[in-house]
mmCIF file of all heavy atoms in Angstrom:
data_model
loop_
_atom_site.group_PDB
_atom_site.id
_atom_site.type_symbol
_atom_site.label_atom_id
_atom_site.label_comp_id
_atom_site.label_asym_id
_atom_site.label_seq_id
_atom_site.Cartn_x
_atom_site.Cartn_y
_atom_site.Cartn_z
ATOM 1 N N GLY N 20 -69.777 -6.557 119.504
ATOM 2 C CA GLY N 20 -70.469 -6.069 118.332
ATOM 3 C C GLY N 20 -71.318 -4.804 118.551
ATOM 4 O O GLY N 20 -71.272 -3.787 117.776
ATOM 5 N N LEU N 21 -72.079 -4.755 119.720
ATOM 6 C CA LEU N 21 -72.829 -3.632 120.029
ATOM 7 C C LEU N 21 -72.044 -2.394 120.481
ATOM 8 O O LEU N 21 -72.296 -1.311 120.052
ATOM 9 C CB LEU N 21 -73.823 -3.947 121.195
ATOM 10 C CG LEU N 21 -74.953 -4.828 120.898
ATOM 11 C CD1 LEU N 21 -75.771 -5.289 122.157
ATOM 12 C CD2 LEU N 21 -75.839 -4.231 119.813
ATOM 13 N N ALA N 22 -70.904 -2.678 121.117
ATOM 14 C CA ALA N 22 -69.999 -1.590 121.439
ATOM 15 C C ALA N 22 -69.323 -1.024 120.245
ATOM 16 O O ALA N 22 -68.980 0.210 120.192
ATOM 17 C CB ALA N 22 -68.951 -2.103 122.460
ATOM 18 N N GLY N 23 -69.024 -1.783 119.326
ATOM 19 C CA GLY N 23 -68.338 -1.290 118.157
ATOM 20 C C GLY N 23 -69.264 -0.625 117.063
ATOM 21 O O GLY N 23 -68.833 0.272 116.384
ATOM 22 N N THR N 24 -70.473 -1.053 116.989
ATOM 23 C CA THR N 24 -71.455 -0.329 116.127
ATOM 24 C C THR N 24 -72.029 0.861 116.603
ATOM 25 O O THR N 24 -72.514 1.679 115.827
ATOM 26 C CB THR N 24 -72.532 -1.416 115.711
ATOM 27 O OG1 THR N 24 -73.194 -1.865 116.760
ATOM 28 C CG2 THR N 24 -71.833 -2.577 114.889
ATOM 29 N N SER N 25 -72.226 1.058 117.938
ATOM 30 C CA SER N 25 -72.918 2.199 118.414
ATOM 31 C C SER N 25 -72.290 3.507 118.097
ATOM 32 O O SER N 25 -73.072 4.492 117.618
ATOM 33 C CB SER N 25 -73.098 2.089 119.950
ATOM 34 O OG SER N 25 -71.859 2.072 120.568
ATOM 35 N N PRO N 26 -70.939 3.738 118.023
ATOM 36 C CA PRO N 26 -70.516 4.940 117.498
ATOM 37 C C PRO N 26 -70.775 5.151 116.017
ATOM 38 O O PRO N 26 -70.976 6.280 115.636
ATOM 39 C CB PRO N 26 -68.944 4.943 117.756
ATOM 40 C CG PRO N 26 -68.826 3.946 118.873
ATOM 41 C CD PRO N 26 -69.939 2.926 118.667
ATOM 42 N N ALA N 27 -70.669 4.134 115.327
ATOM 43 C CA ALA N 27 -70.930 4.187 113.891
ATOM 44 C C ALA N 27 -72.408 4.513 113.528
ATOM 45 O O ALA N 27 -72.702 5.119 112.524
ATOM 46 C CB ALA N 27 -70.540 2.935 113.108
ATOM 47 N N MET N 28 -73.375 4.083 114.417
ATOM 48 C CA MET N 28 -74.744 4.368 114.268
ATOM 49 C C MET N 28 -75.187 5.707 114.680
ATOM 50 O O MET N 28 -76.263 6.183 114.455
ATOM 51 C CB MET N 28 -75.557 3.310 114.972
ATOM 52 C CG MET N 28 -75.396 1.956 114.429
ATOM 53 S SD MET N 28 -76.090 0.664 115.384
ATOM 54 C CE MET N 28 -77.723 1.154 115.640
ATOM 55 N N ALA N 29 -74.312 6.486 115.290
ATOM 56 C CA ALA N 29 -74.650 7.834 115.905
ATOM 57 C C ALA N 29 -74.751 8.736 114.722
ATOM 58 O O ALA N 29 -74.134 8.617 113.693
ATOM 59 C CB ALA N 29 -73.607 8.298 116.851
ATOM 60 N N TYR N 30 -75.622 9.758 114.917
ATOM 61 C CA TYR N 30 -75.768 10.854 113.887
ATOM 62 C C TYR N 30 -74.589 11.790 113.990
ATOM 63 O O TYR N 30 -74.072 12.022 115.010
ATOM 64 C CB TYR N 30 -77.105 11.615 114.127
ATOM 65 C CG TYR N 30 -78.349 10.786 113.900
ATOM 66 C CD1 TYR N 30 -79.089 10.444 114.944
ATOM 67 C CD2 TYR N 30 -78.676 10.539 112.600
ATOM 68 C CE1 TYR N 30 -80.335 9.792 114.674
ATOM 69 C CE2 TYR N 30 -79.775 9.851 112.422
ATOM 70 C CZ TYR N 30 -80.630 9.456 113.438
ATOM 71 O OH TYR N 30 -81.707 8.708 113.155
ATOM 72 N N ALA N 31 -74.291 12.242 112.877
ATOM 73 C CA ALA N 31 -73.145 13.211 112.810
ATOM 74 C C ALA N 31 -73.703 14.499 113.410
ATOM 75 O O ALA N 31 -74.825 14.928 113.094
ATOM 76 C CB ALA N 31 -72.607 13.420 111.402
ATOM 77 N N PRO N 32 -72.954 15.215 114.232
ATOM 78 C CA PRO N 32 -73.343 16.381 114.929
ATOM 79 C C PRO N 32 -73.450 17.522 113.776
ATOM 80 O O PRO N 32 -72.817 17.451 112.869
ATOM 81 C CB PRO N 32 -72.327 16.763 115.887
ATOM 82 C CG PRO N 32 -71.107 16.033 115.422
ATOM 83 C CD PRO N 32 -71.528 14.844 114.658
ATOM 84 N N VAL N 33 -74.311 18.500 114.053
ATOM 85 C CA VAL N 33 -74.444 19.622 113.183
ATOM 86 C C VAL N 33 -73.448 20.799 113.800
ATOM 87 O O VAL N 33 -73.712 21.217 114.829
ATOM 88 C CB VAL N 33 -75.848 20.167 113.198
ATOM 89 C CG1 VAL N 33 -75.907 21.456 112.304
ATOM 90 C CG2 VAL N 33 -76.777 19.042 112.644
ATOM 91 N N ASN N 34 -72.411 20.989 113.077
ATOM 92 C CA ASN N 34 -71.435 21.992 113.469
ATOM 93 C C ASN N 34 -71.784 23.280 112.785
ATOM 94 O O ASN N 34 -71.687 23.521 111.524
ATOM 95 C CB ASN N 34 -70.042 21.631 113.130
ATOM 96 C CG ASN N 34 -69.635 20.363 113.920
ATOM 97 O OD1 ASN N 34 -70.084 20.156 115.019
ATOM 98 N ND2 ASN N 34 -68.876 19.447 113.327
ATOM 99 N N ILE N 35 -72.221 24.236 113.599
ATOM 100 C CA ILE N 35 -72.477 25.630 113.052
ATOM 101 C C ILE N 35 -71.235 26.443 112.985
ATOM 102 O O ILE N 35 -70.683 26.710 114.045
ATOM 103 C CB ILE N 35 -73.590 26.234 113.843
ATOM 104 C CG1 ILE N 35 -74.839 25.423 113.961
ATOM 105 C CG2 ILE N 35 -73.955 27.615 113.291
ATOM 106 C CD1 ILE N 35 -75.539 25.134 112.591
ATOM 107 N N VAL N 36 -70.848 26.863 111.816
ATOM 108 C CA VAL N 36 -69.707 27.645 111.678
ATOM 109 C C VAL N 36 -69.839 29.144 111.529
ATOM 110 O O VAL N 36 -68.915 29.991 111.654
ATOM 111 C CB VAL N 36 -68.702 27.219 110.635
ATOM 112 C CG1 VAL N 36 -68.335 25.695 110.946
ATOM 113 C CG2 VAL N 36 -69.484 27.252 109.258
ATOM 114 N N HIS N 37 -71.122 29.501 111.143
ATOM 115 C CA HIS N 37 -71.431 30.890 110.906
ATOM 116 C C HIS N 37 -72.876 31.201 111.326
ATOM 117 O O HIS N 37 -73.785 30.315 111.111
ATOM 118 C CB HIS N 37 -71.187 31.243 109.468
ATOM 119 C CG HIS N 37 -71.488 32.747 109.246
ATOM 120 N ND1 HIS N 37 -70.567 33.740 109.504
ATOM 121 C CD2 HIS N 37 -72.571 33.274 108.624
ATOM 122 C CE1 HIS N 37 -71.087 34.865 109.160
ATOM 123 N NE2 HIS N 37 -72.286 34.678 108.629
ATOM 124 N N THR N 38 -73.179 32.336 112.001
ATOM 125 C CA THR N 38 -74.506 32.671 112.358
ATOM 126 C C THR N 38 -74.853 34.062 111.866
ATOM 127 O O THR N 38 -74.032 34.933 111.760
ATOM 128 C CB THR N 38 -74.736 32.610 113.790
ATOM 129 O OG1 THR N 38 -73.895 33.452 114.589
ATOM 130 C CG2 THR N 38 -74.579 31.152 114.338
ATOM 131 N N GLU N 39 -76.189 34.248 111.618
ATOM 132 C CA GLU N 39 -76.678 35.609 111.358
ATOM 133 C C GLU N 39 -77.938 35.866 112.217
ATOM 134 O O GLU N 39 -78.608 34.749 112.595
ATOM 135 C CB GLU N 39 -77.150 35.684 109.798
ATOM 136 C CG GLU N 39 -75.997 35.545 108.827
ATOM 137 C CD GLU N 39 -75.056 36.845 108.656
ATOM 138 O OE1 GLU N 39 -75.648 37.907 109.075
ATOM 139 O OE2 GLU N 39 -74.022 36.695 108.208
ATOM 140 N N HIS N 40 -78.260 36.977 112.532
ATOM 141 C CA HIS N 40 -79.382 37.286 113.332
ATOM 142 C C HIS N 40 -80.543 37.982 112.581
ATOM 143 O O HIS N 40 -80.132 39.007 111.833
ATOM 144 C CB HIS N 40 -79.112 38.093 114.577
ATOM 145 C CG HIS N 40 -78.135 37.302 115.429
ATOM 146 N ND1 HIS N 40 -78.591 36.379 116.337
ATOM 147 C CD2 HIS N 40 -76.754 37.382 115.580
ATOM 148 C CE1 HIS N 40 -77.466 35.868 116.944
ATOM 149 N NE2 HIS N 40 -76.371 36.382 116.542
ATOM 150 N N VAL N 41 -81.741 37.617 112.695
ATOM 151 C CA VAL N 41 -82.889 38.206 111.959
ATOM 152 C C VAL N 41 -83.931 38.597 113.008
ATOM 153 O O VAL N 41 -84.288 37.796 113.868
ATOM 154 C CB VAL N 41 -83.496 37.248 110.933
ATOM 155 C CG1 VAL N 41 -84.622 37.826 110.240
ATOM 156 C CG2 VAL N 41 -82.439 36.765 109.995
ATOM 157 N N GLN N 42 -84.444 39.832 112.818
ATOM 158 C CA GLN N 42 -85.563 40.218 113.662
ATOM 159 C C GLN N 42 -86.911 39.933 112.919
ATOM 160 O O GLN N 42 -87.143 40.602 111.928
ATOM 161 C CB GLN N 42 -85.451 41.695 113.995
ATOM 162 C CG GLN N 42 -86.380 42.199 115.115
ATOM 163 C CD GLN N 42 -86.082 41.538 116.526
ATOM 164 O OE1 GLN N 42 -84.899 41.354 116.819
ATOM 165 N NE2 GLN N 42 -87.068 41.098 117.240
#
Side-chain angles (χ1 to χ4, degrees):
L21 290 175
T24 58
S25 60
M28 294 170 49
Y30 292 110
V33 178
N34 296 324
I35 302 300
V36 297
H37 181 78
T38 59
E39 298 281 342
H40 297 280
V41 177
Q42 191 67 40

